[in-house]
Amino acid sequence: MDLQQQARQWLETAVAEARAGLAEGGIPIGAALYGADGTLLGRGRNRRVQDGDPSMHAETAAFRAAGRQRSYRGTTMVTTLSPCWYCSGLVRQFGISRVVIGEAETFHGGHDWLAGHGVEVVLLDDTACVAMMRDFIEEHPALWSEDIGDE
């Protein structure tokens, strides 16, 4: 299986998390952290609304669910949406080697910065991820502005 096929398969986990978050009344962003051998280490979704915790972004939830790892070298963070600066910092801080992004059309986060600092970035331009975020932003513009710190 080539990287694009693997990335699309991994994205399904993140999309399932995003849909679960939306069903809970939250922001539909999902993520998963995979080990160098392709093992799912952790998965999560944006839970800012559900938990009342502004730091509980999808990538943070997946990272926390993975638990302590000796090293994050060789791991892949998969996310339905380009990671914000906060989550991009998490990737860089812990040396996560690759980020797979469902889409960056509705929000262009820090993935260019990550690429410039040696993180492999795989942008899938997934139409389902774009549609899910576009619909959410249209229906909940104030909540979206709050989530990205654009109030």
Side-chain angles (χ1 to χ4, degrees):
M1 182 179 309
D2 72 5
L3 178 57
Q4 284 288 317
Q5 291 172 312
Q6 183 70 74
R8 289 205 175 274
Q9 186 178 8
W10 286 343
L11 182 63
E12 292 175 18
T13 303
V15 168
E17 287 292 326
R19 288 186 178 135
L22 182 61
E24 296 168 348
I27 297 161
I29 303 170
L33 184 65
Y34 283 88
D37 64 355
T39 302
L40 177 62
L41 301 174
R43 59 191 291 165
R45 56 189 167 271
N46 184 305
R47 296 193 51 85
R48 294 182 70 251
V49 173
Q50 300 93 310
D51 295 352
D53 180 349
S55 70
M56 193 48 78
H57 289 207
E59 297 88 343
T60 305
F63 182 75
R64 287 179 179 173
R68 182 177 172 208
Q69 305 292 314
R70 186 174 173 273
S71 171
Y72 295 90
R73 195 166 290 117
T75 62
T76 300
M77 179 66 76
V78 182
T79 180
T80 56
L81 185 65
S82 178
C84 69
W85 287 111
Y86 171 67
C87 295
S88 294
L90 181 148
V91 168
R92 182 91 166 88
Q93 173 71 31
F94 291 96
I96 293 171
S97 300
R98 179 188 301 133
V99 177
V100 171
I101 301 166
E103 67 103 349
E105 188 176 314
T106 61
F107 179 76
H108 192 105
H111 67 269
D112 294 331
W113 176 77
L114 286 170
H117 285 86
V119 176
E120 181 183 358
V121 174
V122 178
L123 180 55
L124 297 176
D125 293 319
D126 185 82
T127 56
C129 287
V130 173
M132 183 168 39
M133 280 311 301
R134 191 167 277 144
D135 290 348
F136 178 81
I137 292 167
E138 185 178 309
E139 293 172 22
H140 306 281
L143 185 54
W144 175 242
S145 290
E146 176 191 325
D147 191 64
I148 60 172
D150 190 31
E151 298 190 64

Short mmCIF file of all heavy atoms in Angstrom, two decimals, residues 36-59:
data_model
loop_
_atom_site.label_atom_id
_atom_site.label_comp_id
_atom_site.label_asym_id
_atom_site.label_seq_id
_atom_site.Cartn_x
_atom_site.Cartn_y
_atom_site.Cartn_z
N ALA A 36 4.92 4.44 13.95
CA ALA A 36 5.75 4.23 12.77
C ALA A 36 5.40 2.93 12.05
O ALA A 36 5.54 2.82 10.83
CB ALA A 36 7.23 4.24 13.16
N ASP A 37 4.90 1.95 12.81
CA ASP A 37 4.53 0.67 12.21
C ASP A 37 3.08 0.63 11.74
O ASP A 37 2.58 -0.41 11.32
CB ASP A 37 4.77 -0.46 13.22
CG ASP A 37 3.90 -0.36 14.46
OD1 ASP A 37 3.15 0.64 14.62
OD2 ASP A 37 3.98 -1.28 15.31
N GLY A 38 2.37 1.77 11.83
CA GLY A 38 0.98 1.85 11.38
C GLY A 38 -0.05 1.52 12.44
O GLY A 38 -1.24 1.53 12.17
N THR A 39 0.40 1.26 13.66
CA THR A 39 -0.51 0.96 14.76
C THR A 39 -1.21 2.24 15.22
O THR A 39 -0.56 3.27 15.41
CB THR A 39 0.27 0.37 15.95
OG1 THR A 39 0.94 -0.80 15.53
CG2 THR A 39 -0.65 0.06 17.12
N LEU A 40 -2.51 2.15 15.43
CA LEU A 40 -3.26 3.28 15.98
C LEU A 40 -2.88 3.44 17.44
O LEU A 40 -3.11 2.54 18.26
CB LEU A 40 -4.76 3.06 15.84
CG LEU A 40 -5.67 4.12 16.44
CD1 LEU A 40 -5.46 5.48 15.76
CD2 LEU A 40 -7.13 3.69 16.34
N LEU A 41 -2.29 4.59 17.78
CA LEU A 41 -1.88 4.86 19.16
C LEU A 41 -2.96 5.59 19.94
O LEU A 41 -3.14 5.36 21.14
CB LEU A 41 -0.59 5.70 19.17
CG LEU A 41 0.62 5.08 18.48
CD1 LEU A 41 1.77 6.08 18.44
CD2 LEU A 41 1.03 3.79 19.16
N GLY A 42 -3.68 6.49 19.27
CA GLY A 42 -4.72 7.26 19.94
C GLY A 42 -5.58 7.98 18.94
O GLY A 42 -5.13 8.30 17.83
N ARG A 43 -6.80 8.25 19.31
CA ARG A 43 -7.74 8.97 18.45
C ARG A 43 -8.55 9.92 19.31
O ARG A 43 -8.69 9.70 20.52
CB ARG A 43 -8.64 8.00 17.70
CG ARG A 43 -9.44 7.10 18.61
CD ARG A 43 -10.14 5.96 17.90
NE ARG A 43 -11.22 6.42 17.05
CZ ARG A 43 -11.79 5.67 16.12
NH1 ARG A 43 -11.39 4.43 15.93
NH2 ARG A 43 -12.77 6.15 15.40
N GLY A 44 -9.06 10.98 18.68
CA GLY A 44 -9.84 11.94 19.45
C GLY A 44 -10.51 12.96 18.57
O GLY A 44 -10.32 12.99 17.36
N ARG A 45 -11.31 13.80 19.20
CA ARG A 45 -12.05 14.83 18.47
C ARG A 45 -12.01 16.12 19.26
O ARG A 45 -11.76 16.12 20.47
CB ARG A 45 -13.47 14.40 18.21
CG ARG A 45 -14.25 14.01 19.45
CD ARG A 45 -15.58 13.38 19.05
NE ARG A 45 -16.26 12.71 20.13
CZ ARG A 45 -16.09 11.45 20.47
NH1 ARG A 45 -15.19 10.70 19.84
NH2 ARG A 45 -16.78 10.91 21.44
N ASN A 46 -12.28 17.20 18.58
CA ASN A 46 -12.38 18.49 19.23
C ASN A 46 -13.50 18.39 20.27
O ASN A 46 -14.62 18.04 19.93
CB ASN A 46 -12.68 19.56 18.18
CG ASN A 46 -12.70 20.95 18.77
OD1 ASN A 46 -13.42 21.22 19.72
ND2 ASN A 46 -11.93 21.84 18.19
N ARG A 47 -13.17 18.66 21.53
CA ARG A 47 -14.15 18.55 22.62
C ARG A 47 -14.25 19.86 23.41
O ARG A 47 -14.61 19.85 24.58
CB ARG A 47 -13.78 17.39 23.55
CG ARG A 47 -13.85 16.03 22.83
CD ARG A 47 -13.79 14.87 23.79
NE ARG A 47 -14.75 15.00 24.87
CZ ARG A 47 -16.03 14.62 24.81
NH1 ARG A 47 -16.50 14.07 23.72
NH2 ARG A 47 -16.82 14.78 25.85
N ARG A 48 -13.92 20.95 22.76
CA ARG A 48 -13.97 22.25 23.44
C ARG A 48 -15.36 22.54 23.98
O ARG A 48 -15.51 22.99 25.12
CB ARG A 48 -13.56 23.37 22.47
CG ARG A 48 -12.11 23.29 22.03
CD ARG A 48 -11.75 24.45 21.10
NE ARG A 48 -11.74 25.69 21.87
CZ ARG A 48 -12.66 26.64 21.75
NH1 ARG A 48 -13.65 26.54 20.90
NH2 ARG A 48 -12.58 27.72 22.50
N VAL A 49 -16.38 22.29 23.17
CA VAL A 49 -17.76 22.57 23.58
C VAL A 49 -18.22 21.55 24.62
O VAL A 49 -18.72 21.92 25.69
CB VAL A 49 -18.70 22.54 22.35
CG1 VAL A 49 -20.16 22.65 22.78
CG2 VAL A 49 -18.34 23.65 21.38
N GLN A 50 -18.03 20.28 24.32
CA GLN A 50 -18.52 19.21 25.20
C GLN A 50 -17.90 19.27 26.60
O GLN A 50 -18.57 19.04 27.59
CB GLN A 50 -18.24 17.83 24.59
CG GLN A 50 -18.89 17.59 23.25
CD GLN A 50 -17.97 17.94 22.08
OE1 GLN A 50 -17.39 19.02 22.05
NE2 GLN A 50 -17.86 17.04 21.11
N ASP A 51 -16.59 19.55 26.66
CA ASP A 51 -15.89 19.55 27.94
C ASP A 51 -15.72 20.94 28.56
O ASP A 51 -15.24 21.05 29.68
CB ASP A 51 -14.49 18.94 27.77
CG ASP A 51 -14.52 17.47 27.38
OD1 ASP A 51 -15.61 16.86 27.38
OD2 ASP A 51 -13.44 16.92 27.08
N GLY A 52 -16.05 21.98 27.81
CA GLY A 52 -15.81 23.34 28.30
C GLY A 52 -14.32 23.61 28.47
O GLY A 52 -13.91 24.41 29.31
N ASP A 53 -13.50 22.94 27.67
CA ASP A 53 -12.05 23.02 27.78
C ASP A 53 -11.48 23.59 26.48
O ASP A 53 -11.47 22.91 25.46
CB ASP A 53 -11.48 21.62 28.05
CG ASP A 53 -9.97 21.59 28.19
OD1 ASP A 53 -9.29 22.60 27.88
OD2 ASP A 53 -9.45 20.53 28.57
N PRO A 54 -11.00 24.83 26.50
CA PRO A 54 -10.52 25.45 25.26
C PRO A 54 -9.29 24.78 24.68
O PRO A 54 -8.96 24.99 23.51
CB PRO A 54 -10.22 26.89 25.68
CG PRO A 54 -9.99 26.83 27.14
CD PRO A 54 -10.86 25.73 27.65
N SER A 55 -8.59 23.96 25.45
CA SER A 55 -7.38 23.30 24.94
C SER A 55 -7.65 21.94 24.30
O SER A 55 -6.74 21.32 23.76
CB SER A 55 -6.35 23.14 26.06
OG SER A 55 -6.79 22.18 26.99
N MET A 56 -8.89 21.47 24.36
CA MET A 56 -9.17 20.11 23.88
C MET A 56 -9.49 20.09 22.39
O MET A 56 -10.58 19.80 21.95
CB MET A 56 -10.30 19.48 24.69
CG MET A 56 -10.43 17.97 24.45
SD MET A 56 -8.89 17.02 24.53
CE MET A 56 -8.67 16.91 26.29
N HIS A 57 -8.45 20.39 21.61
CA HIS A 57 -8.55 20.27 20.16
C HIS A 57 -8.41 18.80 19.78
O HIS A 57 -7.97 17.98 20.59
CB HIS A 57 -7.46 21.10 19.49
CG HIS A 57 -7.68 22.58 19.60
ND1 HIS A 57 -7.18 23.46 18.68
CD2 HIS A 57 -8.35 23.33 20.50
CE1 HIS A 57 -7.52 24.69 19.00
NE2 HIS A 57 -8.22 24.63 20.13
N ALA A 58 -8.77 18.45 18.56
CA ALA A 58 -8.75 17.05 18.13
C ALA A 58 -7.36 16.44 18.23
O ALA A 58 -7.20 15.32 18.73
CB ALA A 58 -9.28 16.94 16.69
N GLU A 59 -6.35 17.17 17.77
CA GLU A 59 -4.99 16.64 17.81
C GLU A 59 -4.53 16.43 19.25
O GLU A 59 -3.86 15.44 19.56
CB GLU A 59 -4.03 17.59 17.07
CG GLU A 59 -4.32 17.74 15.60
CD GLU A 59 -5.34 18.83 15.26
OE1 GLU A 59 -6.07 19.30 16.17
OE2 GLU A 59 -5.39 19.24 14.09
#
